[in-house]
Amino acid sequence: RKRIFSGMQPTDGSLHLGNYIGALSQWIALQDSYDALYCVVDLHALTVNPDPAQLRERTRRTAAQYLAGGIDPERSILFVQSHVAAHTELAWLLSCQTGFGEAGRMTQFKDKSAKQGSEGTTVGLFTYPVLMAADILLYDAGLVPVGEDQRQHLELTRDLAERLNTRFGEGTAVVPDAHIVKAVAKIQDLQDPSSKMSKSSAGGKGVVWLLEDPKKAVKAIKSAVTDADESYGVRFDPAEKPGISNLLTIFSAVTDRDIDEIAKEYDGRGYGYLKVDLADAVVAFLEPFQARANTYLADPAELDRVLADGADRARTIARPVLDRMYERFGLLPVR
Ligand code: ATP
Ligand code: MG
């Protein structure tokens, strides 16, 4: 069976609706047909220098949300990145195969570093995509389910894998495919439908957090930016109607209903009707999700046990792959 790998950063105590619709719900759908590894990528979160106690807490909360969403730790391997040392070991090998200019072309780095200024930007943020490539290549993953924003990083991962195979011989690395479900790969910020919903987006008013009081989600949806079309046209048209199209995408994802059918129901009726019903649908999704997450968070010892078991299983796969890389790169074996 093909192997898949994916992860999310514990950069906040809560994931948001974009993470769920664009990534987590895809992970859940894929875990039946693939051997899946789902990782809380805490080392990636270090790139923005989080508070230590907060990072630990957020790591557990992120794992609890994977479980609440439906990741089955018996079928899939659920673990924390820093528990498997081979991630950073392989990242070093890959960083010595990545061009400085090549890394400098990553648009996520340009965006995030522009916000933080050059003194606030860490070298880790720059090499982040190399660590991400290591996460994937370390498990010979063939498929990586992610949102649209990760497309460029995935391309870099593929380039690196191909480079290793050319330089060190076929079979050094598996070249992974991105699994990006176009319709849901970019949930936009409710206040700014031209930019993606993000954990680290300033203000966060346009973000629906999975673990926050559902009342706040209702407020965020009701105050979502739409447009000034006086005929209240509701249709899926991201270019002309980015705000409405985003609401329709979310509506369809949380109710499993057809997007055009929803659009037809609200067309011409005033955006308030759409927002009120969408808010209800989101609350109906959030409440049981939060109840499940809280069950896992109420027993941190059990959660840690699940994560330790996942790390053991991940290490078993990672070790021989790292050994193969070390051997191909010409590092002297221990004896
Ligand atoms: P940060 O702002 O800290 O980068 P993030 O919201 O981008 O946080 P990540 O942990 O970087 O979240 O990404 C986790 C996964 O969620 C990735 O697969 C990413 O592509 C996906 N994702 C993130 N934001 C969205 C979004 N708005 N719509 C769809 N998928 C998303
Ligand atoms: Mg991100």
Side-chain angles (χ1 to χ4, degrees), residues 60-299:
R60 282 207 188 93
R61 286 168 71 87
T62 302
Q65 288 169 91
Y66 288 5
L67 292 163
I71 300 298
D72 174 358
E74 301 292 324
R75 271 184 294 167
S76 301
I77 299 179
L78 167 59
F79 73 108
V80 174
Q81 186 185 27
S82 64
H83 292 178
V84 182
H87 287 254
T88 43
E89 295 180 81
L90 181 56
W92 176 252
L93 303 196
L94 297 181
S95 70
C96 296
Q97 294 295 318
T98 308
F100 191 80
E102 188 177 32
R105 283 193 291 276
M106 297 295 119
T107 57
Q108 179 171 295
F109 173 75
K110 289 191 215 170
D111 293 347
K112 289 194 174 181
S113 61
K115 280 185 202 143
Q116 279 152 7
S118 99
E119 289 310 312
T121 299
T122 64
V123 171
L125 191 67
F126 185 68
T127 56
Y128 174 116
V130 178
L131 179 59
M132 176 169 157
D135 298 339
I136 296 162
L137 301 187
L138 185 59
Y139 299 99
D140 286 338
L143 200 71
V144 185
V146 285
E148 181 62 43
D149 59 316
Q150 295 302 322
R151 188 184 289 280
Q152 193 187 28
H153 291 162
L154 240 298
E155 267 315 307
L156 176 70
T157 304
R158 289 170 55 84
D159 289 346
L160 281 168
E162 277 161 6
R163 194 168 304 157
L164 297 190
N165 289 338
T166 305
R167 171 113 173 69
F168 303 108
E170 279 311 312
T172 303
V174 171
V175 183
D177 289 315
H179 177 84
I180 299 175
V181 180
K182 204 119 202 132
V184 293
K186 197 168 181 216
I187 302 300
Q188 308 292 43
D189 187 287
L190 298 177
Q191 284 298 311
D192 175 12
S194 68
S195 67
K196 87 166 189 87
M197 197 179 277
S198 234
K199 285 195 234 91
S200 53
S201 75
K205 264 187 65 196
V207 179
V208 173
W209 301 101
L210 300 185
L211 293 186
E212 84 183 345
D213 183 348
K215 285 198 199 82
K216 288 197 182 149
V218 170
K219 210 172 148 207
I221 291 166
K222 288 191 178 162
S223 57
V225 168
T226 46
D227 56 48
D229 172 0
E230 279 167 22
S231 66
Y232 296 117
V234 173
R235 60 178 190 277
F236 185 73
D237 181 352
E240 291 295 319
K241 293 188 152 282
I244 291 295
S245 301
N246 192 41
L247 296 180
L248 287 172
T249 302
I250 295 171
F251 208 148
S252 161
V254 296
T255 57
D256 248 329
R257 285 179 59 196
D258 180 70
I259 212 162
D260 293 326
E261 183 196 299
I262 300 170
K264 217 189 281 160
E265 189 178 329
Y266 294 95
D267 193 24
R269 281 178 59 200
Y271 297 152
Y273 294 95
L274 171 68
K275 288 179 175 178
V276 166
D277 289 354
L278 172 58
D280 283 346
V282 168
V283 171
F285 162 75
L286 288 180
E287 282 176 344
F289 180 90
Q290 294 183 358
R292 290 192 297 274
N294 286 332
T295 317
Y296 295 112
L297 288 169
D299 191 352

Side-chain angles (χ1 to χ4, degrees), residues 268-334:
R269 281 178 59 200
Y271 297 152
Y273 294 95
L274 171 68
K275 288 179 175 178
V276 166
D277 289 354
L278 172 58
D280 283 346
V282 168
V283 171
F285 162 75
L286 288 180
E287 282 176 344
F289 180 90
Q290 294 183 358
R292 290 192 297 274
N294 286 332
T295 317
Y296 295 112
L297 288 169
D299 191 352
E302 170 60 13
L303 186 57
D304 290 355
R305 193 202 58 76
V306 168
L307 294 172
D309 174 63
D312 286 341
R313 286 152 68 200
R315 266 184 231 110
T316 315
I317 303 172
R319 189 68 247 174
V321 177
L322 186 67
D323 286 346
R324 182 180 78 220
M325 299 282 186
Y326 272 27
E327 194 267 323
R328 297 277 177 117
F329 273 68
L331 298 169
L332 185 68
V334 215

